[in-house]
């Protein structure tokens, strides 16, 4: 048997290897002509234009070739962060400017003051350069700029309002709740879209010394203003980007706030005009423009690109990409607001030109998103504060004070400085962990009666080990090392690519943290796991029982129908469920007849929304497993039991359940582990709302790794993961004990 | 196709009311299952790229443009990118299913049939590998695959996916093997069948339901994965379909029409596979082997 | 056809010894029945012969060749399992043919042999069915056909009839006997049913606790049980064994107990000259014959009674018990047989 399997595996490997080789064919060619690798995260028109431009460059340049790769946006930063430090990344890449701080500190990118010289700088649209400067050096060559602006349907709002008050007057006129029409729709729970109000009312994110200043009185005033807009009901509840655009497309939103990226989603024939956001007058009577955050898309050179000749080629590519002809191409074809001033001469007076000029006008009234690493830590707490103030009406002074405290607390956790041990210490700890594992193995061997006994045992049971070895080795090899590294990281603090040994500090700060977030989150996680498993299993088994009745008609059809939730990518279905829970436009409220009930405003309803979604996604797996398990139960057992006078319930509990156990048990055990670590649904449906209360341990770990700290608080995240691992492990050990005990007593 | 004997859990003394009740439950479930899916269909068929909302999932305007765009994706050089990606997905998912099921079957068979030291430990070890949150394993895994020279290689993905699916598959198969009477194997041994013969002629046919499930599971593990695939693969033609789908999601905007069409295309093969496999989920396979 | 010899065969599970040094020479063509109480190691012994169980110590030879380490399939034996172990996913034909297919016998020959075996076992009409669609007796016959079709060197049966009702059991027993006559293949047959043992066997091996208590022809074992265990294990009703002092009988040497089968004891109304007198506690009328039971000393004691000749007995009647001297067995303090 193993021979056949081995042969099969070899064949697979061969086919794959052959294909991989085939893919490498271009490599020789590249040796002759160096290949400059360019990554971007554009899609649709923008990606097509980049491809076209690169094809043109490749056709005309003889000295080198450009190899371009479009990476999905969601994977982009992660991929860059993983690839560049190992020398597997691109030579240059296009990205938004806001992670510059992190990247510069971690040497993912390099200064390009020589590329963006005075001449180049002066050729750019004014206002962009500050965005790509970090600690006195220029790091990116700006290609385009993006910010939100005011979009209006000219049939409803012929003239762009000059002040917010004027805008609100029009918005109120255009609002008709009965028809589901709204005057002024923007994502009022998202700092990014709130920023225009914030800066318009003199608010700020950082104080003069670069420390977070979320509780600035002007910030409070800005949220109060947002609350007032919300109270005027010109904006629906729980606006998301998708809702906003579909309202605008259906002519149910007169004015919206969004950026150039939304143009692809505007339905054909829907008229729109874009202009700068209006001015706003604060309580003291000072009138300022509403200033959105500005994102500059720029070209970056990999920090690993040191070879001067190669770097020169990459710089040449950068220059080509940003030259006038190609800027015009991007402006016209990809409709990008490009960074090169000269390209704007080509903008005409057609519809498209007016829209472009709208965004250009907004640029002059915008604030570059701070590129300091601290910025990342602000988003989530600020969003929570905003959400709570808008959703529950909590005074912003309270929520912002909480947010400020939270940011300070998180920064304290990641900034605890101890003496540095650098990468060396990291190797030591990982090594120690691997040694520990080895030691444990050795102990297990001794318990077995020494190596000699083990060897003879292995020889005697040779076939058994031969059968088990491939699966076990493959699994362990691919898990052991990452696992050891993962656990090891928990003893370190990560700042921009360097690890500092901090001992148990991460664990201590999690477990002994003043706010006891960990234990609350643990409680939520346990509740989440238990309720999911109960629902998945009971629904799955019930459906399997029904579907295994021979006399049932169409059961094949049902069976296939019911695996759809499992088969369809959960990203889209989870978002659809989120939409279904919308207070005004969602199907759930319509069905239950509770118009306007906001599911995301209280813990229990948000939890229920997550639970329903995950049950929808998760029951098919249990159903399929149970269907398989039912096949191993001989029918005569039921007949025998029926003759013994057992009723249906008794038959179910005394025959079906026990005999289903061998197949269901692994599904339940693993289902528990998976649900405990289920990230997607929580992240997509409730996003932790309200106020992070529905977050579970993994989402919390994720936030530490990617939303906090200097280049990611990987240490804290790893410590979280280790704790998760330990809990799951002890749960399973205990469960095994209990089941063994039950079996033993039988 | 339907013989009275493939009634597995069906209770004797069927009540007509039970049939009605069954259909009522099934219909309700079908509605709940399909409602969100209809939205996906609606988005896929609509000419715009915006996210559909409202109450009725019936599309007002129908076009196949989104499907045409997704399927017909060519790069400037004229390479049929979608074709490559579909092929990658198929090869990787099938290779994962074959590798995963083969390894799991052989391990599960040993765990079920042989008593050997370390068996319990081995089973637990498989389970334990699932417990550390995947997010934290990504970077080390990347480093490991880099060291093994398996970055940007389909083989690397297959290995990782297969090992992800092996624990469940092994546990599942072991549980199922346990229900197959050992007498059958002994009878075959007396008949002179070799171990491989016994495995392929006796055990495999009898374990069909479990194999079908694990094959589906392994296939799905590979077929729907995108996080790792997006991270490891460095050319567009080596992407898998889920990565392509992820590519329709931008920083602040998403091509929902394309995404929905892609989602439907991605789920069709899985449903087809399940449709093909589901006849193996009918039952009482071991009935009649023992007892008088 | 083959001679099978077991020399000092042992089976251990860890420290527990299940079969303790079994010696047995099975002659070519002989039909040997292993009997014994449940758990005494019959199946284990049979499975060691089959090769399904490793042999912990001792030597197993088939036709003079040591086969301890020969795989079951290479020993060329066929086994009929107590559970039948039919392959549920194969038709009856495929079930029967499997052993031949595995051995790569030519198709035409397989078909011929399967048809022959099926006809012999009255399965011809059932060849396309699956095992689950067969009755118990039919499954049993398929299991036998599967063995027969291979024309093995020996048949091994493990309680093949234990799942059948009494009537079927008799039919199939007759079939086995017929098969036996037809092929005169060496056969080892495990049962705890003595009727099977008596009717089928050339020789019976009585096992208890992993030890052969007696090996002999059915009559030997029945008439001259080697010890008290064999004496009481075989025969229904069981042999009466009582303290020698309770019977008026001449006892050889150091015998302590006297055994006699109820069939060999006549109950009469007179008590003069009887072995012993007994009060009737229970009467079993089987139609053909009747038994009376009472107590001799503390022991239950049975005898045949001819009520036609004697007139109807009643509970509490006093009867005298008579037996031929050559039908008595004597056992010493270790329970071993003492011959007069
Ligand atoms: N794997 C094992 N480990 C330990 N003891 C075992 C094992 N298999 C069987 N035994 C023991 O060996 C003894 C003999 O078993 P065996 O099956 O040979 O009995 P048997 O004579 O066939 O009984 P029956 O008439 O009930 O079939 C029993 O006491 C049984 O408990
Ligand atoms: Mg037995």
């Amino acid at each position: 048997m193993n021979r056949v399997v081995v042969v099969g595996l070899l064949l697979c490997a061969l086919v794959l290897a052959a294909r991989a080789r085939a893919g490498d064919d271009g490599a020789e060619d590249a040796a002759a002509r160096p290949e400059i690798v360019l990554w971007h995260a554009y899609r649709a028109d923008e990606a097509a234009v980049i491809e076209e431009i690169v094809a043109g460059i490749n056709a005309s340049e003889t000295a080198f070739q450009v190899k371009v790769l479009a990476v999905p946006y969601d994977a982009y930063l992660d991929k860059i962060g993983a690839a560049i430090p190992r020398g597997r990344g691109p030579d240059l890449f296009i990205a938004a400017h806001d992670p510059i701080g992190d990247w510069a500190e971690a040497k993912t990118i390099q200064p390009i003051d020589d590329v963006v010289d005075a001449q180049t700088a002066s050729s750019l649209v004014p206002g962009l350069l500050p965005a790509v400067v970090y600690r006195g050096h220029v790091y990116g060559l700006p290609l385009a700029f993006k910010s939100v602006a005011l979009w209006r349907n000219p049939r409803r709002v012929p003239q762009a309002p000059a002040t917010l008050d004027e805008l609100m007057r029009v918005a109120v006129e255009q609002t008709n709740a009965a028809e589901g029409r709204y005057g002024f729709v923007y994502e009022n729970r998202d700092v990014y879209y709130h920023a225009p109000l914030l800066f318009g009312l003199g608010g700020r994110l950082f104080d003069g010394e670069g420390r977070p200043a979320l509780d600035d009185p002007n910030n409070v005033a800005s949220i109060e203003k947002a609350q007032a807009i919300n109270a005027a009901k010109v904006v629906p509840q729980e606006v998301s980007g998708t809702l906003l655009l579909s309202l605008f497309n259906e002519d149910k939103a007169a004015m919206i706030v969004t950026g150039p990226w939304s143009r692809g989603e505007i339905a054909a024939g829907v008229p729109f005009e874009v202009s700068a956001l209006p001015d706003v007058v604060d309580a003291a009577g000072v009138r300022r423009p509403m200033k959105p955050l500005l994102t500059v898309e720029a070209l970056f050179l990999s920090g690993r690109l040191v070879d001067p000749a190669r770097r020169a080629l990459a710089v040449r590519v950068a220059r080509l990409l940003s030259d006038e002809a190609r800027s015009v191409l991007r402006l016209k074809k990809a409709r990008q607001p490009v960074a090169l001033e000269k390209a704007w001469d080509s903008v005409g007076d057609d519809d498209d030109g007016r829209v472009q000029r709208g965004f250009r006008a907004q640029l002059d009234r915008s604030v570059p998103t701070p590129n300091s690493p601290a910025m990342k830590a602000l988003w989530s707490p600020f969003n929570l504060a905003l959400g709570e103030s808008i959703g529950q009406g909590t005074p912003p002074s309270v929520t912002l004070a909480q947010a400020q405290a939270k940011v300070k607390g998180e920064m304290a956790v990641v900034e605890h400085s101890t003496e540095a041990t650098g990468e060396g210490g990291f190797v030591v700890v990982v090594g120690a962990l691997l040694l520990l594992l080895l030691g444990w193995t050795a102990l297990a061997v001794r318990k077995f009666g020494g190596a000699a006994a083990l060897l003879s045992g292995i020889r005697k049971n040779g076939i058994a080990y031969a059968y088990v070895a491939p699966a076990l080795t493959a699994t362990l090899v691919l898990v052991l090392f990452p696992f050891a590294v993962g656990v090891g990281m928990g003893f370190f603090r990560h700042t921009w690519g360097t690890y500092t040994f901090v001992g148990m500090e991460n664990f201590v700060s999690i477990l002994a943290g003043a706010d006891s977030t960990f234990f609350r989150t643990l409680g939520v996680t346990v509740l989440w796991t238990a309720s999911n498993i109960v629902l998945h299993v009971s629904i799955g088994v019930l459906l399997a029982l029904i579907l295994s009745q021979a006399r049932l008609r169409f059961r094949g059809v049902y069976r296939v129908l019911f695996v759809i939730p499992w088969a369809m990518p959960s990203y889209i279905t989870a978002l659809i469920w989120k939409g279904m829970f919308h207070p005004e436009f969602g199907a759930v409220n319509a069905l239950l007849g509770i118009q306007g009930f906001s599911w995301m405003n209280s813990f229990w309803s948000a939890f229920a929304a997550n639970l329903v979604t995950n049950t929808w996604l998760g029951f098919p797996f249990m159903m399929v497993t149970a269907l398989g398990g039912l096949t191993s139960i001989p029918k005569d057992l039921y007949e025998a039991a029926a003759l013994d006078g057992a009723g249906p319930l008794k038959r179910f509990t005394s025959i079906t359940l026990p005999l289903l156990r061998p197949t269901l048990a692994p599904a339940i055990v693993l289902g528990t582990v998976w649900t405990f670590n289920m990230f997607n649904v929580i992240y997509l449906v409730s996003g932790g709302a309200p106020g992070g209360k529905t977050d579970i341990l993994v989402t919390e770990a994720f936030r530490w790794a990617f939303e906090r700290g200097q280049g990611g608080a990987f240490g804290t995240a790893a410590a979280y993961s280790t704790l998760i691992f330990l809990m799951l492990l002890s749960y399973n050990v205990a469960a095994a004990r209990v089941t063994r005990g039950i079996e033993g007593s039988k | 196709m339907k013989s009275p004997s493939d009634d597995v859990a069906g209770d004797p003394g069927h009540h007509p009311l039970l049939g009605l009740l069954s259909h009522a439950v099934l219909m309700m479930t079908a509605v709940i299952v399909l409602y969100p899916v209809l939205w996906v269909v609606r988005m896929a068929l609509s000419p715009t790229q915006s996210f559909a909302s409202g109450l009725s999932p019936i599309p007002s305007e129908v076009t196949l443009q989104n499907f045409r765009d997704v399927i017909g994706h060519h790069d400037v050089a004229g390479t049929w990118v979608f074709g490559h990606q579909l092929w990658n997905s198929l090869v990787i998912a099938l290779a994962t299913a074959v590798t995963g099921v083969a390894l799991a079957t052989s391990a599960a068979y040993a765990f079920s049939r042989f008593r050997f030291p370390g068996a319990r430990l081995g089973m637990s070890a498989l389970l334990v590998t699932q417990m550390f949150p995947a997010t934290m394993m990504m970077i080390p895994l990347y480093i490991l695959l880099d060291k093994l020279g398996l970055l940007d290689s389909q083989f690397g993905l297959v290995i990782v996916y297969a090992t992800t699916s092996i624990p469940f598959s092994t546990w599942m198969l072991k549980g199922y093997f346990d229900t197959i009477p050992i007498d059958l194997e002994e009878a075959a041994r007396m008949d002179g069948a070799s171990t491989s013969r016994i495995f392929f002629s006796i055990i495999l046919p009898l374990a069909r339901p479990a194999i079908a499930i694990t094959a589906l599971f392994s296939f799905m593990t590979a077929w729907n994965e995108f996080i790792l695939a997006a991270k490891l693969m460095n050319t567009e033609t080596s992407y898998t379909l889920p990565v392509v789908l992820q590519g329709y999601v931008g920083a602040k905007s998403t091509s929902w029409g394309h995404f929905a069409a892609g989602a439907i295309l991605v789920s069709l093969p899985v449903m087809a596979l399940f449709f093909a496999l589901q006849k193996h989920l009918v039952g009482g396979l071991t009935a009649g082997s023992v007892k008088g | 056809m083959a001679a099978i010899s077991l020399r000092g065969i042992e089976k251990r599970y860890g420290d527990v010894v299940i079969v303790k040094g079994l010696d047995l020479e099975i002659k070519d063509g002989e039909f040997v029945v292993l009997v014994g109480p449940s758990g005494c190691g019959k199946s284990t012994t049979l499975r060691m012969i089959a090769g399904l169980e490793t042999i912990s110590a001792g030597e197993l030879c088939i036709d003079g060749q040591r086969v301890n380490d020969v795989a079951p399939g290479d020993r060329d034996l066929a086994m009929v399992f107590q559970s039948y172990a039919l392959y549920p996913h194969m038709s009856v034909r495929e079930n029967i043919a499997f052993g031949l297919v595995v051995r790569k016998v030519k198709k035409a020959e397989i078909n011929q042999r399967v048809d022959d075996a099926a006809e012999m076992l009255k399965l011809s009409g059932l060849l396309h069915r699956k095992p689950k669609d067969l009755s118990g007796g039919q499954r049993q016959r398929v299991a036998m056909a599967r063995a027969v079709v291979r024309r093995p060197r020996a048949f091994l049966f493990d309680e093949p009839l234990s799942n059948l009702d009494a009537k079927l059991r008799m039919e199939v027993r007759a079939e086995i006997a017929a098969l036996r006559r037809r092929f005169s293949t060496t056969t080892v047959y495990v049962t705890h049913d003595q009727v099977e043992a008596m009717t089928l066997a050339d020789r019976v091996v009585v096992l208890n606790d992993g030890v052969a208590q007696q090996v002999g022809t059915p009559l030997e074992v029945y008439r001259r049980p080697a010890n008290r265990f064999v004496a009481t294990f075989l025969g229904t009703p069981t042999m009466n064994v009582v303290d020698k002092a309770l019977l008026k009988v001449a006892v050889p040497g150091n015998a302590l107990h006297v055994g006699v089968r109820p069939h060999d004891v006549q109950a009469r109304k007179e008590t003069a000259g009887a072995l012993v007198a007994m009060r009737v506690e229970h009467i079993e009328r089987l139609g053909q014959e009747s038994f009376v039971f009472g107590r001799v000393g503390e022991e239950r004691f049975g005898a045949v009674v001819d009520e036609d000749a004697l007139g109807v007995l009643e509970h509490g009647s006093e009867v005298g018990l008579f037996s031929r001297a050559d039908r008595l067995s004597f056992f010493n303090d270790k329970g071993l047989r003492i011959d007069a």
Side-chain angles (χ1 to χ4, degrees), chain A residues 313-562:
Chain A
L313 290 181
V315 170
R316 168 138 182 80
V317 174
R319 291 226 184 276
L320 287 171
L321 283 168
S322 57
D323 71 8
E324 190 185 339
R326 295 182 177 87
S327 291
V328 170
L329 198 62
R330 286 188 285 117
L331 182 72
K332 294 273 166 182
K333 263 194 155 173
R335 298 192 289 203
Q336 267 183 350
V338 296
L340 190 73
E341 180 72 272
K342 239 175 157 220
W344 286 86
D345 296 347
S346 67
V347 174
D349 210 23
D350 51 357
D351 287 356
D352 204 53
R354 281 204 312 282
V355 170
Q356 293 285 22
R357 279 204 300 272
F359 288 120
R360 176 69 200 269
Q362 187 71 69
L363 166 68
D364 300 331
R365 304 152 62 106
S366 67
V367 177
T369 307
N371 60 19
S372 91
M375 185 61 201
K376 203 166 57 173
L378 300 194
W379 290 115
S380 166
F382 204 149
N383 275 339
L384 290 180
L386 197 52
E388 202 180 330
S389 285
I390 302 283
Q392 276 110 291
T394 318
S397 53
V398 176
T399 57
L400 282 178
Q402 279 169 359
Q404 175 74 7
K406 198 165 163 127
V407 171
K408 281 262 165 74
E410 284 168 6
M411 286 195 151
V413 169
V414 295
E415 273 169 9
H416 256 289
S417 71
T418 327
E419 99 258 33
T421 48
E423 292 264 11
F426 190 56
V427 172
V428 169
V429 167
V430 170
L433 269 168
L434 282 172
L435 268 179
L436 219 72
L437 273 170
L438 273 179
W440 178 68
T441 319
L443 258 174
V445 169
R446 261 199 51 187
K447 203 174 115 201
F448 187 74
L454 184 69
L455 270 183
S456 85
I458 287 180
R459 218 168 299 127
K460 214 166 65 202
N461 297 292
I463 323 173
Y465 290 110
Y467 279 31
V468 172
L472 219 53
T473 344
T475 319
L476 288 183
V477 164
L478 282 185
V479 171
L480 215 55
F481 172 76
F483 172 77
V485 173
V487 173
M489 273 201 289
F491 299 95
F492 287 80
R493 183 161 61 78
H494 171 251
T495 25
W496 298 305
T498 46
Y499 291 86
T500 317
F501 184 74
V502 293
M504 298 297 289
E505 197 179 283
N506 291 326
F507 293 90
V508 172
S509 65
I510 291 172
L511 294 173
D515 54 353
S516 69
T517 316
F518 176 79
F519 293 100
R520 212 207 52 240
T521 314
L522 174 61
V524 176
T525 313
V526 170
L527 182 70
W528 162 254
T529 310
S531 42
N532 266 297
I533 292 296
V534 167
L535 284 176
H536 297 187
V537 172
S538 46
I539 295 177
V541 169
L542 176 75
L543 290 175
L545 280 175
I546 295 178
L547 287 176
S548 60
Q549 297 172 103
R551 267 159 289 200
L552 194 78
R553 281 151 61 85
F554 310 119
R555 58 182 183 156
V557 178
Y558 281 124
R559 278 184 190 159
V560 175
L561 271 189
F562 291 174

Side-chain angles (χ1 to χ4, degrees), chain B residues 259-273:
Chain B
F259 194 107
I264 291 171
L265 291 174
V266 162
S267 45
L268 283 180
V270 176
M271 286 165 64
L273 184 71

Side-chain angles (χ1 to χ4, degrees), chain B residues 183-184 186 188 190-191 201, chain C residues 47 83 86-87 89 103 150:
Chain B
D183 281 11
L184 296 183
E186 296 184 336
M190 293 303 294
D191 273 343
S201 303
Chain C
R47 291 163 55 81
S83 65
L86 302 184
Y87 311 125
H89 55 299
R103 278 157 221 272
R150 292 229 331 259

